[in-house]
Amino acid sequence: MTVTGTRTPPPVLDARTIRSWMSLAVRTATRTRELIDGFNVFPVPDADTGSNVLLTLTSAAAALDRLPRAADAAQATRTIADGAVRGARGNSGLLVSQALAALAEVAADAPTGLRPVELVHAYEAIASSTWEAVSRPVTGTLLTVAADAAQAARALLDDAAPTAPPTVGDIAGAAALSAQESVVETAGTGHGPVDAGGAALMLMLTALCDVLSAPTPGAQPDGPLTAVAVQMLTDLAASSVSHGSLLQGGPASSTGEFEVMYLLEATAAQATALRHQLERVGDSVGVVGAPDALGVGLYQVHVHTNTPRAALPRTGRCRQVCIHHLHPTALALGEPLEAGEPPLPYASAAQASAGHVISFERLASRRRLDGVGPQQEQASGRRPSASPATERAHRVGVIACTRAPGLIEQLARTGAVVLLDPDREGVLRAVGDLGLPQVLVLPCDADSAARAHEAGRRLSARTVPSTVCGPAGAATPEHAGHAPTSSQLLVADTDDEARVLAASVAVATRTTGTSLTDLALFAGRAGEDMRTLALDGEAAEADAVASAVAALLRPDDELLTVILGRDALPDVGALAVSAAERAAALTGTDPVEVVVHAGGQAHPDVLIAIE
């Protein structure tokens, strides 16, 4: 693809051109977000590839905006790579950040800008590094698009006559055209009308061709070639089956039930060990980043797994740990609860027949059947059908905060985004992941509530109108990335793990069609009749816990929850169950239902909740 016309092609891919590229790439990703989302079938049909790529590129562009204008190409590419790694979302965002990191590695040796031969090396580095970043590479995806682009760039360079060497624009054009052809060839491979990740990468490469072909180097092009590529994708989407039909037509290629993502500060050796660990517990594994001169780096980690706790790192320092359930459960869909969920831990023989779902879910289902709470008009527990766009516009996102790694699976099953060890940046990330007009945060303690309000103030400083309010007052936020223009973030008054779990279950079936304030009220009511007791040290020893349970129980209590901390003794749960059964025998009442969670939180050693 050689663009003709009156122009002065840039001799190198320099910092000014990189800025123009990022600007056009973000504009294109914004324009095509819903289109790419609609292509998303592989590895999980969750319709978020366009959104994830947009969030990743937005983070890269924002980092570049903070870089001084005098920075060279090496600094510019390293900045966008680091920004992309920090903001990467999903499997596709992780691969985009890996592609930008590969570009930065090549540009490190060309601070004044990449010449044609170095640009070819960059395409080849992108192809090889993205392939290596995936634990189980699959052809017909973004990986194939990257490889085809690199091969076309290399072929043009090698075949050029010595008297007519190709320009960087020629190299970029060959790569973009090959990427477009490669995307078309992904049709019919079972990854949707075309592969969503491959389409997103193709648009990025075509945008680079546009800026390198602009009449004025470093100018902000309209992106004529990118516009043609977008129209091509639009036509392919119109002539193919819908995303909804594809969701029903075949299983997802990823077998993991949960998506786990976090940032990790670690050495290269620790990152490699983590990748091997994740490959044993899941798929769609990615550990993307690069160590600094001291051998320590910041890595973006991604995995689909059935055991999210096993995906947490054993070494290094992680933050912004977000867990999503990839497939809605019966609870999140508001459907009748049946067997099939994980069995209750520490359940006694008498309680074993009570069911196979976590106890808060069973209690919520029982109350719906008794006509307690809203949505009584939905006798079946099912939501009225609505189009995806309409449902999204009226849906409230939920962020469940916790410091108990043992609860992340139960919380994620409610449909909430789970944030482990919450901080301000983690809340911002979770809100951006949701991308919904309204978000409810369920803090697990006073510190996490404060961090949520800090996130609100940070977002409000970005001059986008929104509101944060909670038991202590109000502030104003907007979430980062591709947030809706008016987004509300409300912080509920939950204050411990038990209330977060109860509130998550209470709001699970109400997130569509319920106002944000009403949803916060439901969350609060879930714990208003709950009595909790936090025990540490000697008070958390088994006999002391049993005595506390016996003293707290009342004849009309229905549920006793015991959440064991990291340092709790192993027999605490069993003695708590025995204490509840003895109390029932003494009063002649039915035994209270008891569930014991191995929460693993640092504090308290034991948390008792009675309802």
Side-chain angles (χ1 to χ4, degrees):
M1 181 187 296
T2 302
V3 180
T4 61
T6 303
R7 62 185 180 93
T8 305
V12 295
L13 174 58
D14 57 14
R16 184 170 58 169
T17 308
I18 290 167
R19 291 181 186 273
S20 298
W21 176 39
M22 280 294 100
S23 176
L24 179 56
V26 170
R27 297 201 308 272
T28 303
T30 302
R31 176 184 173 189
T32 60
R33 176 173 66 88
E34 293 184 1
L35 176 64
I36 302 299
D37 280 347
F39 290 148
N40 183 200
V41 173
F42 180 88
V44 174
D46 48 4
D48 64 355
T49 292
S51 300
N52 289 337
V53 170
L54 176 55
L55 284 169
T56 304
L57 291 176
T58 299
S59 180
L64 188 60
D65 287 342
R66 296 189 291 270
L67 188 69
R69 287 285 170 178
D72 59 26
Q75 294 168 321
T77 53
R78 174 47 57 193
T79 297
I80 61 174
D82 290 345
V85 168
R86 291 177 180 273
R89 300 293 194 276
N91 200 53
S92 53
L94 203 74
L95 291 175
V96 166
S97 68
Q98 179 61 65
L100 295 176
L103 174 63
E105 288 296 317
V106 176
D109 297 325
T112 59
L114 280 73
R115 298 166 299 173
V117 64
E118 291 155 341
L119 185 57
V120 170
H121 290 162
Y123 284 120
E124 292 173 335
I126 289 170
S128 61
S129 66
T130 52
W131 184 275
E132 293 168 359
V134 178
S135 57
R136 298 180 181 91
V138 176
T139 57
T141 62
L142 178 151
L143 307 179
T144 302
V145 174
D148 289 346
Q151 290 173 5
R154 170 57 66 182
L156 179 63
L157 183 66
D158 290 348
D159 295 343
T163 56
T167 66
V168 287
D170 295 333
I171 296 295
L177 179 59
S178 181
Q180 292 170 16
E181 294 173 345
S182 183
V183 166
V184 173
E185 290 172 359
T186 66
T189 60
H191 298 167
V194 295
D195 181 72
L201 179 64
M202 178 272 291
L203 292 175
M204 288 178 59
L205 300 184
T206 305
L208 178 58
C209 178
D210 262 324
V211 298
L212 287 171
S213 305
T216 303
Q220 295 290 340
D222 294 330
L225 304 176
T226 306
V228 172
V230 171
Q231 187 59 52
M232 178 191 76
L233 294 177
T234 303
D235 293 342
L236 285 169
S239 61
S240 303
V241 293
S242 68
H243 178 266
S245 300
L246 288 164
L247 291 182
Q248 299 170 3
S253 297
S254 175
T255 58
E257 194 175 356
F258 302 88
E259 179 185 58
V260 181
M261 288 196 75
Y262 51 85
L263 285 174
L264 176 71
E265 292 181 24
T267 65
Q270 290 172 332
T272 300
L274 174 63
R275 176 169 175 160
H276 294 324
Q277 171 191 334
L278 297 179
E279 288 172 347
R280 290 192 293 270
V281 301
D283 55 31
S284 293
V285 174
V287 181
V288 173
D292 58 19
L294 299 178
V296 178
L298 183 66
Y299 296 85
Q300 184 72 250
V301 180
H302 174 276
V303 64
H304 293 168
T305 178
N306 289 327
T307 53
R309 187 173 184 179
L312 300 178
R314 299 167 185 167
T315 57
R317 176 178 175 267
C318 68
R319 61 180 188 273
Q320 298 181 30
V321 183
C322 291
I323 301 94
H324 308 249
H325 196 276
L326 293 172
H327 313 288
T329 61
L331 172 65
L333 292 172
E335 296 176 347
L337 295 170
E338 300 174 354
E341 297 286 346
L344 295 175
Y346 296 103
S348 65
Q351 297 160 342
S353 61
H356 296 282
V357 296
I358 62 173
S359 190
F360 279 118
E361 291 182 355
R362 188 158 51 253
L363 187 60
S365 179
R366 183 187 310 155
R367 290 177 173 177
R368 284 200 299 271
L369 293 174
D370 291 341
V372 179
Q375 296 186 335
Q376 294 146 5
E377 69 280 3
Q378 300 180 30
S380 67
R382 297 177 182 270
R383 296 177 184 154
S385 60
S387 68
T390 300
E391 183 170 342
R392 185 175 182 84
H394 295 87
R395 181 182 162 208
V396 178
V398 179
I399 300 173
C401 300
T402 183
R403 301 192 189 279
L407 294 183
I408 58 179
E409 182 173 336
Q410 289 92 329
L411 289 169
R413 287 181 181 277
T414 68
V417 173
V418 182
L419 182 60
L420 181 63
D421 293 328
D423 57 11
R424 182 190 68 179
E425 296 303 320
V427 174
L428 291 171
R429 174 177 184 149
V431 174
D433 286 353
L434 287 164
L436 293 172
Q438 297 180 319
V439 177
L440 177 67
V441 180
L442 305 176
C444 57
D445 52 30
D447 183 72
S448 61
R451 301 292 82 77
H453 285 292
E454 284 182 9
R457 290 190 291 272
R458 172 70 178 274
L459 291 170
S460 66
R462 297 175 183 171
T463 67
V464 181
S466 61
T467 303
V468 168
C469 55
T476 53
E478 202 327 270
H479 69 69
H482 69 286
T485 54
S486 58
S487 178
Q488 291 180 297
L489 174 66
L490 192 146
V491 183
D493 58 358
T494 51
D495 57 5
D496 59 34
E497 314 291 344
R499 287 188 169 87
V500 170
L501 187 54
S504 298
V505 172
V507 303
T509 59
R510 302 180 171 96
T511 55
T512 300
T514 304
S515 70
L516 180 61
T517 52
D518 285 345
L519 200 68
L521 288 175
F522 295 140
R525 289 171 185 166
E528 65 182 6
D529 295 326
M530 180 181 294
R531 308 187 306 280
T532 61
L533 179 63
L535 303 173
D536 281 299
E538 293 183 357
E541 294 182 358
D543 291 339
V545 170
S547 298
V549 167
L552 288 171
L553 283 174
R554 300 171 183 170
D556 58 346
D557 288 331
E558 298 180 79
L559 175 66
L560 166 65
T561 300
V562 182
I563 301 176
L564 303 179
R566 181 182 59 198
D567 299 325
L569 298 175
D571 58 344
V572 168
L575 287 183
V577 171
S578 298
E581 292 173 342
R582 287 196 301 272
L586 289 174
T587 58
T589 58
D590 293 333
V592 64
E593 184 178 354
V594 183
V595 60
V596 180
H597 296 290
Q601 71 276 5
H603 172 80
D605 291 339
V606 177
L607 177 63
I608 299 173
I610 300 177
E611 187 177 2

